[in-house]
Amino acid sequence: MPYNFQIITLFPERYSSYVESGLPARAYKKDLFRLNTFLLRDFADERRKGRVDDEPYGGGPGMILQVGPVEKALASLPEKFPVVLFTPRGELLNQKKVKQFSKEIGLILIPGYYEGIDERVAENLVDHQVSIGEFVLGSGDLAALCLIESITRLLPGYMGCSDSEVMESNEDGLLEYPQYTRPPEYNGWKVPDILLSGDHEKIRLWREMKRNEITELRKK
Ligand code: ADE
């Protein structure tokens, strides 16, 4: 059964263009996953003519996404899956959480916009709050796409060869070893001799050492 993403968004075209090129396009055409977008504006209060944001109570800059349109959009969805809200205040995403999400049969994604989203969404309507990093995006759509890609690439059949899934960065908490391909020398920049030696045991040990080295360096 294809993995099912239902996304409540102001910008559906961001998702349709995502599945137009590269591996996502191929996997999408193979029906490994489905993306259904629902336009948040369609659930705006009738009197507000498609507007879904308003000023923050208590004052302050920017606009806040209203709870009503989000609640109505959620209620309208044909299928129910765990609901994920994207916000810089969410739990930091990592590969372990991606793997857990990949075991679901689908997810409902809610990217945040503007200065934020009425807290009653987080309090009452969502199962998970996710941040993709300690920085602030202008919208949650790119964060949602990060989660979509990190999940779909784990789906069986996404990559040509299944080994690359197992070996990939972060699966066991260690980062990936460096990789090289032809030519063996370019501009005087050489591929490490050991990789050309054909000694598989030595290569395995070298890779293990490099993974530990780079993990130490990056995770400090
Ligand atoms: N929306 C804005 N910034 C975000 C972040 N870092 N992660 C998830 N959603 C966001």
Side-chain angles (χ1 to χ4, degrees):
M1 212 169 49
Y3 198 100
N4 196 326
F5 294 100
Q6 304 191 98
I7 307 138
I8 297 171
T9 176
L10 288 175
F11 304 105
E13 59 282 3
R14 292 180 179 172
Y15 301 85
S16 46
S17 71
Y18 175 71
V19 290
E20 271 171 15
S21 61
L23 285 176
R26 206 175 67 180
Y28 187 70
K29 284 198 196 95
K30 281 205 288 189
D31 203 26
L32 291 188
F33 70 99
R34 293 186 183 164
L35 283 180
N36 295 303
T37 50
F38 300 84
L39 189 58
L40 188 59
R41 295 197 190 289
D42 289 346
F43 300 91
D45 190 291
E46 290 229 336
R47 289 158 302 181
R48 303 209 66 229
K49 301 195 177 82
R51 290 205 64 174
V52 290
D53 60 339
D54 212 330
E55 294 159 0
Y57 277 124
M63 300 296 273
I64 306 296
L65 209 61
Q66 293 179 287
V67 61
V70 175
E71 191 275 329
K72 289 198 191 92
L74 279 171
S76 80
L77 295 184
E79 287 168 281
K80 307 297 174 207
F81 303 118
V83 179
V84 181
L85 173 67
F86 294 90
T87 156
R89 287 165 50 202
E91 265 190 68
L92 214 50
L93 189 63
N94 58 31
Q95 191 64 15
K96 189 169 160 223
K97 289 175 192 153
V98 169
K99 273 194 150 179
Q100 284 164 358
F101 282 131
S102 77
K103 305 226 162 66
E104 303 285 350
I105 54 172
L107 289 178
I108 295 169
L109 309 182
I110 307 177
Y113 296 96
Y114 311 121
E115 284 304 304
I117 186 160
D118 190 307
E119 190 64 16
R120 287 168 291 182
V121 171
E123 286 167 357
N124 302 290
L125 299 172
V126 312
D127 301 297
H128 305 275
Q129 297 184 57
V130 166
S131 164
I132 62 158
E134 290 170 348
F135 50 86
V136 182
L137 295 162
S139 84
D141 287 309
L142 292 180
L145 284 166
C146 286
L147 182 64
I148 289 170
E149 180 153 306
S150 58
I151 290 174
T152 51
R153 66 178 283 286
L154 296 179
L155 300 176
Y158 185 87
M159 308 231 232
C161 101
S162 59
D163 270 4
S164 50
E165 289 168 38
V166 184
M167 310 267 288
E168 205 54 55
S169 292
N170 276 321
E171 296 286 310
D172 54 9
L174 290 179
L175 296 174
E176 182 64 292
Y177 48 78
Q179 303 262 42
Y180 301 83
T181 186
R182 276 182 276 274
E185 186 171 341
Y186 183 84
N187 272 357
W189 306 324
K190 293 183 72 179
V191 172
D193 285 338
I194 198 157
L195 296 177
L196 310 176
S197 71
D199 187 331
H200 295 298
E201 182 55 16
K202 272 201 185 142
I203 290 173
R204 193 185 63 74
L205 288 170
W206 180 86
R207 285 178 165 170
E208 205 175 285
M209 179 189 79
K210 285 290 175 186
R211 293 187 74 195
N212 287 317
E213 231 174 68
I214 193 83
T215 305
E216 275 295 295
L217 197 68
R218 293 283 182 262
K219 299 216 162 152
K220 264 195 231 152

